Amino acid sequence: MEDVKKNEGWIDKTLPVDWDKVKEEAVGEILPHHMKLWWYCLGGVPAIMFLILIITGIMLAFHYVPHPDMAYESVVKISTQIPYGWWLRSIHRWSAEIMIVTVSLHAIRVFATGAYRHPRELCWMTGAILLLLTFGLGFTGYSLVYTQMSYWAMTIGTGIAAKTPLIGPFLSRFMLGGEAIGEATLNRFFILHAAILPSITFFMVFVHIVLIRLHGVTEHLVGIQREVVKGLSRGDE
Amino acid sequence: MNEKDGGGTEVSRRDFLANAAMTVGLVATLGTAGVYGVRYLVPKTKVKKFIDVLVTNLKELTPGEAREFIDATGRKGILVNHNGNVKAFSKICTHLGCEVEWQQQKKEFYCPCHEGFFDADGKNIKGPPPRPLDEFKVTVKDDNIYVALEEV
């Protein structure tokens, strides 16, 4: 007991953080009743999936080779030869799938209940950017496997970009790193998928969550009686 | 835990069981993930070792004849005496992994799945197979035929 007490004192002195306050800030939020319906909390699912994707993505990057001759081979090797590679890759793939589905459902829910209205415009805007980033991550990740499907997804994706007015051809060339899919394309997609897009997404998720905490949860627009909305309850009960 | 039951030192049975279940679940999940993660990252250090295994002898394997064998891990191979020259190959077709057959008349290996052919030296000569059959090292000593198989 003496030791433990000394230890606690040392931690408190070297890391002067009021943990009770941190806990209160992190999980003690006051929530309206309707937040106990799971479809109002769809935003949390993609956030958790994103964390899982970061961890498994870093793991997969240890064995993935972004080169046209090696990309598919290395993916096959991860799935068939490296211990538990299949496990990590499956988690990465299904988390990505769940993230895209739940992000879309979250956007639909926010739109349908009018939760974007004043003063939460910024939250909606960052959310819209996050939706696009999620699709971008899905597209680049799908391309990295470098199967026939990936190849044609890349072709179609860059083809769509090429149809943008004025800057289209430049955009397409920039994405491909040349005139056609090749070594440079795979490198670009890999850097986008594993470095640039996740960094922006991480930052945006942070801003999105800070904005939610600053504004609190939206009051229900219609359909729920005032009493129910006013009857607040602690989030941890 | 609960302010009501006296100063936060006592933990109710319900809370204790809930926390215990949560802890066990988290330790099991994260522990498994951690072990898998480490095993995923640790490079293979095992060097493949081969040992000569007696499979048959030259009296039983006369020229033109073939004989199947199975190694300790269950993988199938085939020994062929082609004009006194004994060779051993994996039975697994290099295209999509079907089993090849030795055709004594034509002196060829035939894969029935996609019409793939290999000659008596295991070389891919017709059909979709992209590379020759995998070969085992064969030693003939005192008419006995030994095949070098991977040690398990």
Side-chain angles (χ1 to χ4, degrees), chain B residues 14-42:
Chain B
R14 178 184 288 265
D15 280 348
F16 173 76
L17 287 175
N19 286 336
M22 181 59 93
T23 309
V24 169
L26 278 177
V27 167
T29 311
L30 297 178
T32 311
V35 170
Y36 282 15
V38 169
R39 290 195 59 183
Y40 171 83
L41 291 178
V42 171

Side-chain angles (χ1 to χ4, degrees), chain A residues 5-228:
Chain A
K5 265 189 181 172
K6 250 184 206 170
N7 225 4
E8 274 179 347
W10 186 82
I11 289 172
D12 285 340
K13 271 176 199 161
T14 48
L15 201 66
V17 178
D18 189 348
W19 292 109
D20 288 339
K21 210 172 173 186
V22 171
K23 197 189 164 197
E24 183 67 24
E25 279 295 315
V27 295
E29 193 186 7
I30 294 171
L31 292 171
H33 265 304
H34 69 263
M35 285 297 288
K36 291 190 175 167
L37 304 172
W38 64 264
W39 54 86
Y40 276 91
C41 310
L42 279 169
V45 180
I48 294 164
M49 288 303 134
F50 184 55
L51 286 180
I52 294 173
L53 283 164
I54 289 174
I55 296 165
T56 52
I58 289 170
M59 298 292 274
L60 289 174
F62 274 88
H63 288 292
Y64 177 74
V65 185
H67 185 276
D69 297 341
M70 300 285 290
Y72 181 66
E73 296 292 316
S74 67
V75 172
V76 169
K77 204 178 159 198
I78 288 170
S79 287
T80 58
Q81 285 176 37
I82 292 155
Y84 301 107
W86 57 271
W87 188 74
L88 283 162
R89 193 179 155 223
S90 301
I91 291 178
H92 195 77
R93 187 241 148 105
W94 287 106
S95 302
E97 211 115 339
I98 293 168
M99 185 173 169
I100 287 185
V101 169
T102 49
V103 160
S104 308
L105 289 174
H106 178 54
I108 291 167
R109 197 282 295 166
V110 169
F111 182 75
T113 57
Y116 50 81
R117 66 191 186 277
H118 185 73
R120 296 181 178 78
E121 297 97 326
L122 265 180
C123 220
W124 171 257
M125 286 175 202
T126 48
I129 294 168
L130 278 169
L131 180 70
L132 293 177
L133 283 167
T134 309
F135 289 157
L137 279 163
F139 170 60
T140 48
Y142 191 81
S143 304
L144 288 180
V145 186
Y146 215 58
T147 56
Q148 279 289 317
M149 293 288 279
S150 309
Y151 182 89
W152 292 108
M154 279 159 118
T155 308
I156 292 165
T158 51
I160 291 170
K163 291 284 178 282
T164 315
L166 297 173
I167 56 162
F170 166 77
L171 211 60
S172 164
R173 264 179 61 87
F174 188 77
M175 280 165 82
L176 289 171
E179 296 297 339
I181 294 170
E183 214 172 304
T185 320
L186 216 49
N187 266 328
R188 270 158 203 247
F189 275 57
F190 182 61
I191 291 163
L192 272 174
H193 184 77
I196 299 171
L197 293 180
S199 310
I200 304 172
T201 308
F202 195 88
F203 176 70
M204 281 295 172
V205 168
F206 180 75
V207 173
H208 197 69
I209 290 173
V210 165
L211 283 169
I212 293 166
R213 294 308 298 262
L214 286 177
H215 284 300
V217 174
T218 337
E219 254 185 32
H220 208 308
L221 189 60
V222 282
I224 285 187
Q225 290 174 344
R226 295 300 295 174
E227 295 85 57
V228 180

Side-chain angles (χ1 to χ4, degrees), chain B residues 68 75-78 89-102 109-118 128-134:
Chain B
E68 272 183 40
R75 277 175 291 197
K76 285 183 185 172
I78 188 159
F89 301 99
S90 161
K91 272 199 89 179
I92 306 303
C93 177
T94 52
H95 176 223
L96 287 174
C98 292
E99 284 183 23
V100 297
E101 310 248 326
W102 171 247
F109 292 101
Y110 168 62
C111 178
C113 288
H114 304 97
E115 301 274 318
F117 290 91
F118 303 85
R131 59 186 174 83
L133 289 171
D134 292 331

